[in-house]
Structure formats: C-alpha cells, structure tokens
Amino acid sequence: MKDFMVHQVRTLAALTEISKLFSSSLDYSDVAKQSLHFLSDILDLERGTLLMPTADRKYLTIKASIGFTPEEIRSSVYEIGKDFVGKVYSNGIPMAVPDSEEIEGIPTPKENTGDFDLYRIGFIAVPVMLDGRPVGVLTAHRTSRSTTMVDEDIRVMKIVASLLSQTLRIAEMIREENSKLVQENKELHLELEERYLPENMIADSSAMAKTLDMVRRVAGTDATILLRGESGTGKSLLARSIHYSSNRKRGPFVVVNCASLPATLIESELFGHEKGAFTGAFTQRTGRFEAADGGTLFLDEIGELPIETQAKLLRVLQDGTFERVGSSKTLTVDVRLICATNADLEVLIRDKQFREDLYYRLMVVPVQVPPLRNRKEDILPLSSFFLKKFTGKYGKRVSISREVMEFLEGYHWPGNVRELENTIERTVVLAGGETLTPKDIPILETLVAAPQPVESSVSMPAVAQGIVTFGPMRGRGRERQPYERVPLREKDLREAMHNAGGIQTHAARMLGVSLRQLRYALNRFKIQATEFKY
C-alpha cells in the first residue's frame, strides 16, 4: 500500500510538470522530449522516443528522443503494420513486453552504457491518437529495477500521449493556417500585379496615355522616380503600378506620407530609432527604409520633408546607408525610391526650403501626371468605373443620363480624380431614383454650369442617347457592363452629324460617346465632317 501511494505521488508530480510543458510551448518535438525526461527522472522510465509517420505513411521515424545518438535516430526506421511499433501505430492499441531484446522492430540503442545493461529491459509503446486516427507512437524502456508498475506506467504514458495529441492538433492547425496564408499572399500579389498593370488603368486620353507609356518604360529599372502633379490625380496609384510592374514586385511596397507626420518624428519614422534615443523611445523601432528593403519605398508629398531630414535622405539615395536615431551603427538597404509631390519644388529651392542637390537626385526620371481637366476623354470611363464600384458596394441600381455625362465632362474638377470618385459615391448614396439627372448631383450648387445639350430630333436607342445602366438587371438577359461601347450605326452617325452641322463635339454629345469614339466611327465609315457643314 505504501509503495502504491508513493507511486501515485510520483505520478502526480510527473503529470503536473508535464502539463506545464504543454501550456508553455507549441513545439511538439520539444514538448515530447522534455516529457520523456520527466518520465525518466520521476517514474524510472528510461530511454524514450516519439515516432511519427513519413509523408507517404509507410514508415515511422524518430521525431524526439532521449538516450539515442544522432546516428541511431537517423537509422531507426520502422515499417507501419509490420514492425512492433508499426503494429502499435496501425492497431491503435498500447503494448508492453518484458524483454525488448527478444522483439524485432523496437527502438533500442545499439550499445548499453553504465549499469543499464545489468537489468532486463522492458518496453512500452503507446499510440498517439488524434480524432480517432493514429498520428504517432510514444515509447519508453523500463528496467527490472523500476519500482513502478507496468500498468500504471502505461496509464501515465497514455495521459502524456493524449496531451501530446492536442499539441499536435494545434501544430497541424497552425501549419494549415500558415499554408493558407502563404497561398493567399501569393494570390493577393498576383491580383495586385494584374490590378496595377499600366494597361489595366483607364487612359483613353492622349495625355494619360503618354504618362502610362513613361511608366512602362521606367518600371523595370531601379531609377528614382519623381511623380509630379496636382493633388488627387492618381500619383499613388501610379507608384503602385511602377512597383508591381518592376522586378521588385515580390518585395514590400511601403508608403510614407511626409505631410502627415510631425517634423520631430519623420526622421524616426524613416530611419528607425534605438531604445532610449529620445523621450518616449521605450523600445527599438525599425524604420520604413528597413521595412522596404528589397522592395519599394514611396514617399508621398516629398516637398513637405523637413530640411534637416533631407540631407539624410540624400545620403541614402547616394550610397544606401544610414543610422537609426540614437545609434552609430551604419545600416545598408536595397530600396527603390519613388517620390511624389504637388508642390513647386523650384520655388521651394529658391526659398531655401528644399535642398537643390536632393532635387537633382530625385529628378532622375520625372513623370508628369496630368490633371483631370486635361484628360476629358477619361472622365466618362472613370465615372462608369466608380459608378459600378459604388452601386455594387451599396446595393443600388442606378443609371445616368446623357445630361449627367455632359455635366461631368463640362466640369473642370479642381480636385481631379479623387473629387470625381467622391462625387460619384455621394451621388449613389443619396440617389432616390434609378436614373440620375444633373439635379441629383449633390454638389451642383458649387459646380460651374455644364454646357447645354444641343437639341436633336434624332431618334436613337437608349445607349446611343447616352443612357448607361449599372447594377443587376434581372430578367433582361445578360448583365450589361459599365460604360458598354455599342458600335454606332452609319445611319445614326450621319443623322447626328447633319443635325450638329458637322460639328463633331456636338454630334458626339448627341450620340453619348466621346469625341475619340466619334472620330473612330467617322473613319470607319469613311465619312467626312465637311459634308455636313451649313
């Protein structure tokens, strides 16, 4: 009775220590190895192993052990269903033998050391089960000197195997989740690459086509690029397009808006800082240059960069080195820099607010982004894109009339593409009907008067008149795509040109198409505008 009570106390102590392991680590091999050590130290169970199947599930190999040399671990391979431990795995039943030397297929060191060989060596193998299926085998040797009982040892090992199976479950879940995240990351990169390709951007105007052509030519290089243009013209979108069209597309794309950070923090944000470098620096911080290593760093509103930080930026551009704030250790990075500004840098240089040497270093490849008022041909395609985006987002079915199209084309859009996007979203949100008219534009009172449409007696289909529908169209056959381009009929084209007196701009408005589309149709039908002059 006394021996039994002593054994129970020792068992409880072993299980208490082992349970602490499972709550402190998710590394199943490390947990298994430490558990085997506790079994050896407290319960007189000697050399042990955790065996798990190979990828083809034909053999068991040692994943964790005590008392085995690296060479013995490598050579210990057991066939599932045939060797002793292989049968324990396939049958899912614990087994024990009094003398391991008489049984084939048991993990046993080739040479016994110390006084271990003075005793008869028994062997216990317990399956590790997860959701009713075997995932491994836990084994231990016991000598005839052991004061514990075999059935009690098996019970303890079954408890350890059960705890170990939960660690394996979590490890398996983490492995699956990591695999899923890696796959999603790959798919996201592919989606971003496709989305930001220059050819997938809306550019019907010659001005924007010229800009995108420049982007294609410089994207594959590591040259520093300076995007210049008014606020809201899409400079950040072009920066992403350059990155995802470059050889660095698999690397990080890091964005810093220089205007949104106070001057006292911008240097720390860009280059990082050491713990204790200044008040509030409680830990070491990695800067954006380090984060962008191997990829692209986009500095938006570069004209707002403090003059004292510009010298450090110039050094990074010249030799790729810098120091964190509060450190003397020089760091090296491989970063492609893209900058953007809507400021007049030449004026800033004159006013001593921007370094001239940095200006010339940034102007390796200047790219001018045209304002929306200089790319009128892009207004309707962009409006159509935004309308589809927001009708889907808010679950509305909205169509726009020719008058709205003319209204959008006639406005000068001082806020550029960003203002157009916000206007379309606001219009969709507040829309009370299915067809929008100019009075539905919520900022009508702040806009300039749109050109008045030319009266026309031409009878044309809804699409030719400029009615473009977005959102689901159930019961009407296939769903129409936004801003769908329906080929013009020669009859409608001639009639519109006649009513417009040969003025192509007026005829294009009557037909609800862009001037570029009209000219293409005229060339296709070999129609001369001079035929219709009054």
Side-chain angles (χ1 to χ4, degrees):
M1 183 67 178
K2 181 179 179 180
D3 289 343
F4 178 77
M5 293 302 296
V6 170
H7 178 267
Q8 291 300 307
V9 171
R10 295 175 67 189
T11 298
L12 182 60
L15 292 177
T16 300
E17 294 300 322
I18 290 171
S19 64
K20 293 178 182 178
L21 296 175
F22 289 100
S23 63
S24 64
S25 176
L26 293 177
D27 184 343
Y28 67 87
S29 61
D30 181 60
V31 168
K33 186 173 183 178
Q34 293 190 58
S35 297
L36 290 169
H37 273 295
F38 279 120
L39 293 176
S40 174
D41 295 340
I42 300 176
L43 297 181
D44 297 333
L45 292 176
E46 305 292 345
R47 300 157 177 154
T49 65
L50 170 64
L51 299 123
M52 295 185 69
T54 55
D56 58 7
R57 297 195 172 275
K58 292 183 178 181
Y59 302 95
L60 293 174
T61 58
I62 296 177
K63 295 297 183 182
S65 68
I66 59 169
F68 287 76
T69 66
E71 176 58 35
E72 289 169 345
I73 292 173
R74 286 191 294 271
S75 61
S76 298
V77 179
Y78 306 96
E79 191 171 357
I80 293 176
K82 293 187 178 181
D83 292 325
F84 183 85
V85 291
K87 290 178 181 178
V88 172
Y89 176 86
S90 57
N91 295 334
I93 300 175
M95 296 180 70
V97 295
D99 192 346
S100 62
E101 293 183 356
E102 297 179 358
I103 305 295
E104 292 286 339
I106 287 180
T108 303
K110 292 181 174 60
E111 295 183 7
N112 293 327
T113 58
D115 60 355
F116 192 78
D117 56 347
L118 300 178
Y119 302 89
R120 189 175 64 172
I121 304 172
F123 182 76
I124 300 173
V126 174
V128 181
M129 308 294 289
L130 180 60
D131 297 331
R133 58 184 174 89
V135 292
V137 177
L138 192 66
T139 75
H141 290 85
R142 67 188 312 277
T143 67
S144 55
R145 69 178 177 180
S146 176
T147 59
T148 60
M149 294 167 281
V150 174
D151 56 344
E152 285 297 312
D153 289 342
I154 292 175
R155 184 176 67 85
V156 172
M157 289 183 63
K158 286 174 67 176
I159 294 174
V160 174
S162 177
L163 292 171
L164 187 59
S165 70
Q166 299 309 309
T167 302
L168 290 170
R169 178 197 297 275
I170 296 173
E172 188 176 82
M173 291 171 61
I174 292 174
R175 186 168 57 252
E176 291 176 355
E177 188 65 24
N178 286 341
S179 177
K180 181 180 178 182
L181 289 174
V182 169
Q183 182 61 32
E184 288 179 350
N185 189 44
K186 289 181 179 178
E187 292 175 357
L188 178 60
H189 266 283
L190 291 174
E191 181 181 341
L192 289 173
E193 289 172 26
E194 183 177 355
R195 178 185 300 177
Y196 292 112
L197 285 176
E199 51 266 32
N200 290 337
M201 300 177 71
I202 296 174
D204 283 0
S205 65
S206 59
M208 195 61 187
K210 183 178 179 181
T211 298
L212 291 181
D213 180 61
M214 175 67 78
V215 165
R216 293 187 190 94
R217 290 161 61 185
V218 302
T221 72
D222 276 343
T224 301
I225 296 174
L226 179 62
L227 300 169
R228 308 192 68 172
E230 297 177 8
S231 179
T233 52
K235 297 187 293 295
S236 61
L237 186 65
L238 287 174
R240 292 181 184 275
S241 177
I242 293 169
H243 171 73
Y244 287 107
S245 300
S246 72
N247 296 328
R248 297 173 177 265
K249 60 186 177 184
R250 300 298 183 188
F253 179 77
V254 179
V255 180
V256 178
N257 190 313
C258 301
S260 66
L261 295 169
T264 54
L265 294 179
I266 186 67
E267 188 172 339
S268 170
E269 188 71 22
L270 290 176
F271 307 111
H273 64 250
E274 295 293 335
K275 180 180 179 180
F278 50 84
T279 303
F282 300 114
T283 60
Q284 184 189 76
R285 177 186 176 87
T286 298
R288 299 298 182 92
F289 268 98
E290 288 180 79
D293 192 23
T296 303
L297 178 63
F298 175 47
L299 298 182
D300 200 5
E301 304 296 349
I302 189 68
E304 302 291 332
L305 194 67
I307 192 73
E308 56 271 17
T309 308
Q310 293 176 22
K312 203 166 184 179
L313 175 60
L314 180 63
R315 179 188 169 194
V316 181
L317 288 173
Q318 289 175 337
D319 55 26
T321 62
F322 64 94
E323 291 82 33
R324 294 195 189 107
V325 177
S327 172
S328 59
K329 181 181 178 181
T330 299
L331 302 176
T332 303
V333 291
D334 175 23
V335 172
R336 200 261 182 90
L337 190 67
I338 301 176
C339 299
T341 183
N342 60 2
D344 191 332
L345 295 182
E346 292 76 13
V347 172
L348 293 179
I349 292 172
R350 186 191 65 195
D351 296 340
K352 305 299 182 183
Q353 295 180 18
F354 201 85
R355 293 178 62 104
E356 188 173 4
D357 49 2
L358 178 59
Y359 170 80
Y360 289 117
R361 189 63 184 83
L362 295 177
M363 286 284 285
V364 175
V365 181
V367 177
Q368 191 68 37
V369 185
L372 190 56
R373 61 181 173 273
N374 291 348
R375 41 185 294 209
K376 291 286 188 180
E377 296 91 339
D378 295 336
I379 292 177
L380 293 187
L382 285 169
S383 301
S384 302
F385 173 80
F386 294 137
L387 193 58
K388 181 185 179 184
K389 173 182 175 181
F390 294 121
T391 52
K393 179 179 179 179
Y394 297 110
K396 290 192 174 184
R397 179 175 174 269
V398 178
S399 62
I400 58 177
S401 65
R402 185 188 68 181
E403 288 76 17
V404 171
M405 289 184 177
E406 291 180 343
F407 182 83
L408 297 176
E409 280 189 312
Y411 180 49
H412 64 289
W413 299 108
N416 294 296
V417 179
R418 184 182 295 121
E419 183 186 8
L420 174 62
E421 180 178 10
N422 292 339
T423 298
I424 296 297
E425 180 175 14
R426 194 157 52 247
T427 301
V428 171
V429 169
L430 299 177
E434 292 190 353
T435 302
L436 298 178
T437 61
K439 65 182 178 62
D440 295 310
I441 304 295
I443 56 171
L444 177 62
E445 63 276 8
T446 67
L447 305 183
V448 297
Q452 295 299 314
V454 178
E455 294 295 330
S456 172
S457 60
V458 182
S459 176
M460 293 172 284
V463 174
Q465 291 181 25
I467 303 296
V468 183
T469 302
F470 300 83
M473 299 178 66
R474 297 180 178 86
R476 296 191 181 185
R478 71 179 181 86
E479 182 175 321
R480 179 172 295 164
Q481 299 302 313
Y483 201 61
E484 186 172 19
R485 297 180 178 179
V486 178
L488 295 173
R489 296 184 302 177
E490 183 176 2
K491 176 183 176 183
D492 294 335
L493 184 61
R494 288 185 176 277
E495 201 163 1
M497 287 293 290
H498 172 75
N499 284 279
I503 301 175
Q504 296 179 36
T505 302
H506 292 175
R509 286 176 178 166
M510 291 180 188
L511 294 170
V513 297
S514 68
L515 184 60
R516 185 177 178 182
Q517 289 175 284
L518 180 80
R519 289 172 176 168
Y520 174 82
L522 290 174
N523 290 333
R524 184 160 61 91
F525 293 119
K526 296 181 173 54
I527 298 174
Q528 298 294 325
T530 54
E531 299 175 22
F532 306 96
K533 294 291 185 181
Y534 294 138

